[in-house]
Amino acid sequence: MRVGLLGLGRIGAFHAATLAAHPLVDELVVADPVRSSPYGEPGDPFDADAVVIATPTSTHAELILKACELGVPVFCEKPAAGTVTETLKVLEAAEGHRVQIGFQRRFDAGYRAAAAALRAGELGELHRVHLVTADPAPPPASYLPLSGGIFRDCHVHDFDILRWVTDREVVSVHALGANRGAAFFAEAGDVDTSAALLTLDDGTLATLQGSRYNGAGYDVRMELAGTRRTQAVGLGPRAPLRGTEGLPEPDDPWPDFVTRFEQAYRDEIDVFLSGGPSPCTIADALEALYVAEAADLSLRERRTVEVAEVRR
């Protein structure tokens, strides 16, 4: 098939290499106003059998809608749009079209194994969940005003995987944040350190921690504690942790999210190109965004926020 790719930034460049090597792709057309790629040729990315969008967030809604108008299946990196209002418009306009949103953790072997164990009853009754997402270094200061804040930009992945693994919805959030590093976070109205308590619709409690300054490496984990067993994701040999009881510090900790989820990124593209129902829809992206909106509101108003408050 002929595939169009928009955006050749860090994740776009990775997708370009994946697409160029994929057995289902005969021709790759790339489009980026600034960057070039050794994979694919410049051209109209919408003159294709499928489109992959890896451009800045502010362009996602417009590009998804253009692909749908042309009847071209589309894969788009998260989010589907920058705001709830825009996402609702895209959801309505894209009804009946195949759109897959890029929440790659759903394709990671560790998270898939945890979900399978929970659903098979191996953990017993789930009582609590803990999530961690910690970046080794902060993003550029210029990125922050466009990011939507740490809960929309970073922790939306945690909110999506929490929903997907537990098959439950978040009903309330109490979020906190702090600035422990550069002044540009506060200047952008953001925080560099985050924590939250989330309540699921069956009463299960989930805790969340995050940081933009995890100097040991990229740290992403999930812990599911049930009445029979506790199962953790992300405690492999490259997890940037040192245990006082013998867990050795890794020689090569995960440096970034692309490296950590390299295979998951490949697998989500493979599923997209293979056709079939979307495994991560615009509606899924909207639900994760609602939780992020509730977390951001909770942070700013210093109170527990029901997710129903931010629904439109």
Side-chain angles (χ1 to χ4, degrees):
M1 66 175 69
R2 176 182 168 96
V3 177
L5 170 65
L6 294 98
L8 291 169
R10 178 163 51 167
I11 193 58
F14 183 88
H15 286 324
T18 299
L19 291 164
H22 199 283
L24 292 178
V25 178
D26 300 308
E27 187 177 359
L28 177 62
V29 178
V30 297
D32 187 294
V34 177
R35 307 172 185 88
S36 60
S37 171
Y39 306 102
E41 297 294 330
D44 180 3
F46 292 98
D47 181 18
D49 301 302
V51 171
V52 174
I53 298 171
T55 53
T57 293
S58 60
T59 66
H60 287 186
E62 177 185 357
L63 295 174
I64 290 173
L65 293 179
K66 183 174 181 179
C68 291
E69 289 171 3
L70 295 172
V72 181
V74 57
F75 173 96
C76 183
E77 281 297 333
K78 69 86 185 169
T83 67
V84 168
T85 299
E86 282 186 300
T87 305
L88 287 167
K89 290 179 181 178
V90 174
L91 177 63
E92 181 179 4
E95 185 177 0
H97 297 276
R98 188 169 189 271
V99 180
Q100 181 176 328
I101 305 300
F103 281 99
Q104 84 285 351
R105 294 187 196 183
R106 293 178 175 220
F107 299 85
D108 178 74
Y111 288 101
R112 297 183 74 85
L118 178 62
R119 294 167 192 176
E122 296 174 16
L123 278 62
E125 183 181 356
L126 184 65
H127 275 204
R128 60 179 174 84
V129 183
H130 183 57
L131 302 121
V132 174
T133 296
D135 295 322
S142 60
Y143 173 76
L144 292 178
L146 308 174
S147 72
I150 195 169
F151 290 109
R152 297 186 187 91
D153 174 54
C154 174
H155 290 309
V156 72
H157 282 287
D158 296 291
F159 303 145
D160 177 73
I161 203 63
L162 177 62
R163 295 184 61 248
W164 187 78
V165 169
T166 65
D167 199 26
R168 293 288 182 179
E169 299 295 346
V170 177
V171 296
S172 69
V173 184
H174 192 105
L176 298 170
N179 284 300
R180 306 286 292 167
F184 58 69
F185 282 96
E187 291 166 359
D190 198 5
V191 295
D192 59 51
T193 305
S194 52
L197 175 64
L198 305 99
T199 303
L200 306 187
D201 57 10
D202 65 347
T204 300
L205 298 179
T207 51
L208 168 70
Q209 292 179 322
S211 174
R212 299 291 199 180
Y213 284 95
N214 197 64
Y218 182 66
D219 188 11
V220 173
R221 286 175 281 127
M222 183 181 203
E223 180 183 297
L224 299 141
T227 53
R228 294 181 183 173
R229 195 172 85 191
T230 297
Q231 184 146 341
V233 180
L235 288 180
R238 298 186 70 181
L241 301 169
R242 174 189 291 174
T244 57
E245 289 81 20
L247 181 68
E249 190 170 17
D251 295 327
D252 57 342
W254 297 114
D256 53 48
F257 67 89
V258 177
T259 309
R260 165 63 179 86
F261 290 109
E262 182 175 324
Q263 189 58 51
Y265 280 118
R266 290 197 179 101
D267 289 347
E268 67 178 356
I269 290 293
D270 182 64
V271 169
F272 170 64
L273 295 177
S274 299
S278 172
C280 189
T281 65
I282 297 173
D284 289 321
L286 177 61
E287 289 300 325
L289 180 58
Y290 279 138
V291 182
E293 290 282 315
D296 188 72
L297 182 60
S298 173
L299 173 67
R300 298 186 187 287
E301 297 191 355
R302 299 176 178 269
R303 66 179 178 90
T304 300
V305 173
E306 301 292 321
V307 175
E309 291 183 45
V310 300
R311 290 187 179 275
R312 309 282 175 82

